[in-house]
Amino acid sequence: KKGSTIMCEKTPADALKDELFYSPEHAAFTCEDGEIETADSFCGDYIDFLNRCKTEREVAAYVKTLAEENGFIPFDPDGSYEPGDKVYYDNKGKALILCVFGKQSLKSGAKIVASHIDSPRLDLKPNPLYEDTDLALFKTHYYGGIKKYQWTAIPLSLHGVICRKDGTKVTVRLGEDEGDPQFVVTDLLPHLDRQQAKRSAEDVVKGEDLNILIGSRPFGKDKGSELVKLNIMKLLNEKYGIVESDFLSAELEMVPAFKAVDIGFDRSLIGAYGHDDRVCAYPSIRAAFAAVAPERTTVTVITDKEEIGSEGNTGLCSAYLEDFIADIARTQGLCGRDVLRASECLSADVNAGFDPTYPSVHDKLNAAYLNKGIVVTKYTGARGKSSTNDANAEFVAKIRTLFDGEKVTWQTGELGKVDEGGGGTVAKYIANLGVEVVDVGVPVLSMHAPFEVVAKLDVYMAFKGFKAFLEK
Ligand code: MN
Ligand code: MN
């Protein structure tokens, strides 16, 4: 026993390094007893969530149901609310705000966690259906930043809504359940790709090549043109009660049909479509439900359209969050902008995890690593910090003190090397409102690919971090 004590004794240099150096550690070393099991169980729920909802509409609808089960009611701007009261605001079924009124007046600001629930995908064009050489296909227009070649030759499922001319709406979800048919974008065989292979990676598969195979049998035995298309339209009419022109008023999204699964012999990782950004949205929702009787009013936003620049009235460039804050402020006789100025926000979005196969795009000192916990990203952007919220040092200090105090494993991270590329999040739009904002989130491998990878301990640390932030 004495021998082992001697073995553990640190040299003065090592002791001083511990005191003076920054060295983020693997969450398996830093987490508390039993926390790995807790994280694994939390991630079991997350996997279930991933398989239930793959699109912004599906997430918003499911979270609304969960919120109602947890005692949230629709927000009434003319209502009056007590500490602990829980409300939600449904923005057109594609974005949702959950709010729990705090013990303190909104004068002391709200605690906001904002993530997004849209993910890169293939949207159907307004007039998508056609027949070519006895095959029926859908034309698509990709949504968000994708490497187009990754979307060929993988199973796809169809999600969304079709609004008929008579004002009725049909919800579509096909390719997810056992026995459902699925869909696919075909690719050229390697035997005949001599010309294609000469193209740059960006153009190997072109945007107009992302056509989806949806059928091949003609209607009946009559001779004529477009009989495969006719047969598909007949099936769609029977199943969904639609005619071809109803596609004009639809939002139909093709997404990978893969189920979320454990990755690795040790099951420490999760592979799934659309971790970006459901891997922050889900923990933030769970944190919103878990934060009982918070000091300050909590506002948990799951937004749409982040992947295309937060545009549109369900994206955070629109007024909906600002208006919601103004509305809750008014219930306490306050002005929205005074609440915003006093508010703090975690912009919850993923960051690129360091990938040992592609080390050259990262600065090792400032990269985010899988399993080292939730990433605090001071700024994103491109080139000379263009288009970013560069979080205030004072606010970053507050967050790291909070995380350390609550035993949240966390690390710093930058989105790649200087001038390597770049990206952004909703942080800058919320910062524009006067709110203190910093980006935090989960590191991801293969970001924006049809199948992304995250580490379970990081997912759990995101939950722990959001909960601490909302409660304190
Ligand atoms: Mn994102
Ligand atoms: Mn993204």
Side-chain angles (χ1 to χ4, degrees), residues 116 118-120 144-145 276-277 306-307 349-350 424 447-448 452:
H116 68 92
D118 60 319
S119 297
D276 177 8
D277 187 30
E306 193 279 340
E307 295 294 358
D349 206 344
V350 297
M447 193 197 292
H448 283 206
E452 305 174 313

Side-chain angles (χ1 to χ4, degrees), residues 25-45:
E25 283 187 272
H26 197 292
F29 301 142
T30 56
C31 66
E32 298 171 275
D33 284 348
E35 219 166 41
I36 291 182
E37 292 71 23
T38 311
D40 286 349
S41 146
F42 183 88
C43 286
D45 297 343

Side-chain angles (χ1 to χ4, degrees), residues 223-286:
K223 296 274 182 274
S225 65
E226 297 195 299
L227 293 177
V228 180
K229 170 178 167 176
L230 179 65
N231 194 43
I232 294 291
M233 208 51 245
K234 178 177 164 278
L235 292 169
L236 290 172
N237 181 264
E238 285 164 5
K239 188 168 173 67
Y240 300 115
I242 60 163
V243 295
E244 189 179 14
S245 64
D246 290 324
F247 282 120
L248 302 173
S249 48
E251 285 178 7
L252 292 167
E253 308 172 2
M254 282 283 180
V255 304
F258 316 131
K259 297 273 182 253
V261 289
D262 286 354
I263 295 284
F265 290 113
D266 59 4
R267 297 177 175 268
S268 61
L269 308 153
I270 307 168
Y273 162 68
H275 280 308
D276 177 8
D277 187 30
R278 288 179 293 167
V279 74
C280 293
Y282 182 73
S284 81
I285 294 304
R286 287 281 300 264

Side-chain angles (χ1 to χ4, degrees), residues 52 136 147 194 206 233 242 268 307 321 428 431-432:
R52 281 171 189 271
K147 292 165 89 165
R194 195 78 55 87
K206 298 182 178 173
M233 208 51 245
I242 60 163
S268 61
E307 295 294 358
L321 175 60
K428 61 178 177 174
N432 286 347

